[in-house]
Amino acid sequence: MNKDVNGKSRGTVQAVQENGSRSPRVSLVIPTLNEAENLTCLLPTIGGIVDELVIVDGRSTDGTVEKALELRPDAVIVLEERAGKGYALQAGFAACTGDIIVMMDADGSMAPAEIETFVSALQAGADVVKGSRFLQGGGSGDLTGVRMLGNAVLTRTVRWTFGGRFSDLCYGYMAFWRDVLPFFDEEVGGFEIETFLNVRALAAGLRVVEVASYEEQRLNGESNLSAIKDGCRVLSTIVRERRRVRRYRASLGLHRPDLHSGTPMPHPVIALREHRSPTVIPATTLTSASASPVAGVAVAAVVTEGSALRGTGQ
């Protein structure tokens, strides 16, 4: 049985079947800004695996909140006054009550059927699971040449700086156990939120697994993403987090902060787990859930292994 960062046991599929304990509750967080049309198509496709739906709205003027409640009267509505995807997501995380938190966009580009794959990977031993458009079974119908180049450069930068084996840094389909939220305790405002979560997970030595995901084109409206401006914000986040790791290592007397030395950075409030299960999800054995469009293919890759950061700079 897996353990959380506090050493408490987490439920697994096997435990539910044999011991009669409850399955982990799944909370889905969707940030919105004038996405009423897209919610009309998206919300009816969310399956029963989601126990709690949290909609975080950033001052929409097209009736997004009203449409969300019409389609899902059980939805938890959070109104976020500050502009920015990062602020919206973190407000949603704080409102969640489930054991597992899944984050996805409201534009219809991410398939709710893939949530089962993310949850399965978490139950198999991962702390954080992120979608990748570049694994077998993944892909994108929305990536432009500029965005693909920027993503490739930033992904390589993170791998060189922090280690790990990310194949897709700037993609917002992610899931994690709620007990790792204290690792993500800094407020981040914009689209750099995905990079922030990924880098913090690497620096803390959490088990991160990528699963294949297919990104469709936005159903309606235009994205608020600016490739150049938001790319600069992502790069700034990488630099800031590198300095944070340097300061921590210097406080330990490690005056040459080699980020690839295998020394993880513990969170200032919650220490890294001391007695973790050594189980690692093999890259070729975890397959997608039966409801996923990519069922039957190997869709998982281990980004970090074990409880320590093993940067390879690959």
Side-chain angles (χ1 to χ4, degrees):
M1 182 174 292
N2 304 314
K3 295 183 178 181
D4 64 20
V5 291
N6 299 306
K8 298 179 181 178
S9 297
R10 291 172 173 158
T12 64
V13 173
Q14 184 177 11
V16 169
Q17 293 176 344
E18 294 181 359
N19 302 328
S21 59
R22 69 175 179 85
S23 298
R25 295 184 69 253
V26 177
S27 296
L28 174 62
V29 179
I30 302 179
T32 59
L33 179 60
N34 296 326
E35 300 283 5
E37 286 188 81
N38 292 327
L39 291 186
T40 301
C41 301
L42 173 65
L43 295 189
T45 66
I46 295 174
I49 191 172
V50 174
D51 300 291
E52 179 182 53
L53 175 62
V54 179
I55 304 289
V56 187
D57 189 68
R59 298 173 294 179
S60 293
T61 58
D62 68 342
T64 291
V65 172
E66 292 76 11
K67 178 59 67 174
L69 290 174
E70 175 188 331
L71 296 169
R72 289 291 300 261
D74 62 327
V76 176
I77 305 297
V78 178
L79 302 179
E80 175 56 54
E81 293 298 321
R82 295 172 297 178
K85 182 180 181 180
Y87 291 137
L89 281 171
Q90 289 179 313
F93 299 161
C96 289
T97 62
D99 305 294
I100 289 173
I101 297 175
V102 182
M103 52 184 265
M104 68 182 301
D105 293 345
D107 59 7
S109 63
M110 301 168 181
E114 294 179 356
I115 293 175
E116 292 192 31
T117 306
F118 287 76
V119 172
S120 295
L122 289 169
Q123 290 184 293
D127 291 312
V128 176
V129 179
K130 65 181 301 297
S132 172
R133 296 162 290 186
F134 303 113
L135 293 181
Q136 178 185 350
S140 176
D142 192 50
L143 269 177
T144 64
V146 172
R147 288 176 57 203
M148 184 174 293
L149 176 62
N151 187 33
V153 171
L154 293 169
T155 299
R156 175 67 66 172
T157 300
V158 166
R159 291 173 63 170
W160 176 81
T161 305
F162 294 95
R165 303 170 188 173
F166 282 132
S167 65
D168 192 357
L169 181 70
C170 303
Y171 187 48
Y173 208 170
M174 296 181 64
F176 48 84
W177 291 96
R178 187 160 63 98
D179 58 54
V180 306
L181 270 179
F183 287 91
F184 310 136
D185 64 346
E186 183 175 327
E187 289 191 330
V188 177
F191 283 93
E192 70 274 16
I193 182 67
E194 294 100 348
T195 298
F196 168 76
L197 296 175
N198 292 331
V199 169
R200 277 291 175 93
L202 282 177
L206 298 179
R207 287 175 179 163
V208 183
V209 168
E210 286 187 324
V211 296
S213 178
Y214 190 86
E215 178 189 37
E216 300 283 357
Q217 288 186 339
R218 164 181 275 271
L219 294 177
N220 300 284
E222 296 183 1
S223 172
N224 294 311
L225 175 69
S226 170
I228 303 300
K229 181 181 71 175
D230 290 304
C232 291
R233 292 177 66 123
V234 169
L235 185 59
S236 176
T237 298
I238 295 171
V239 172
R240 184 183 70 246
E241 290 301 311
R242 178 184 174 90
R243 289 173 178 167
R244 177 174 174 267
V245 175
R246 282 178 177 270
R247 288 195 298 269
Y248 166 71
R249 290 178 57 82
S251 71
L252 296 181
L254 303 174
H255 300 297
R256 298 187 62 185
D258 177 9
L259 297 176
H260 298 289
S261 67
T263 301
M265 179 177 176
H267 186 270
V269 177
I270 298 181
L272 288 174
R273 55 181 60 85
E274 295 289 338
H275 306 289
R276 297 192 55 195
S277 166
T279 303
V280 176
I281 304 171
T284 57
T285 59
L286 181 65
T287 57
S288 61
S290 58
S292 172
V294 292
V297 265
V299 296
V302 179
V303 175
T304 61
E305 298 181 359
S307 60
L309 175 61
R310 292 189 177 93
T312 60
Q314 296 178 355

